[in-house]
Amino acid sequence: NDFYKELLGNTWTIKKWDGPEQFEDKTGELMMLPADMAFLFDPEFKQYVEMYANDQDIFFKDFAAAYSKLLELGVDFGDDSKN
């Protein structure tokens, strides 16, 4: 859950350069993309950022469930999976 802690715990500003839009922390050492920042800007997403930053176990549980769905997507388990 370090990603979520960094997202909440740092002050992010738009990087001043000629490249695509990015955000950086005060030191200029860490960078976030606009897609990352959307988690903070959108109230629906932000509730999950706060929840995952505060409870790593919930993040692990939700991540495992989502990843399992991805791994099983399109897999035919046959008739045995219905029992």
Side-chain angles (χ1 to χ4, degrees):
N1 67 338
D2 286 341
F3 169 77
Y4 300 105
K5 289 179 179 181
E6 287 291 344
L7 201 54
L8 283 175
N10 277 316
T11 300
W12 301 98
T13 57
I14 294 177
K15 183 175 181 173
K16 300 199 181 346
W17 71 321
D18 292 330
E21 185 175 77
Q22 294 179 4
F23 294 80
E24 61 185 358
D25 71 341
K26 292 185 273 190
T27 68
E29 304 251 336
L30 295 176
M31 179 270 297
M32 291 285 178
L33 297 172
D36 300 320
M37 298 306 292
F39 289 119
L40 283 182
F41 298 153
D42 185 289
E44 293 289 322
F45 285 131
K46 188 173 181 181
Q47 67 181 338
Y48 291 99
V49 171
E50 292 169 342
M51 181 173 60
Y52 293 153
N54 292 319
D55 193 330
Q56 184 171 329
D57 290 336
I58 291 174
F59 170 71
F60 284 158
K61 179 181 169 246
D62 288 353
F63 179 86
Y67 193 71
S68 179
K69 284 182 184 180
L70 285 174
L71 291 176
E72 295 175 359
L73 187 64
V75 175
D76 182 9
F77 290 102
D79 292 333
D80 292 335
S81 67
K82 295 178 185 174
N83 297 328

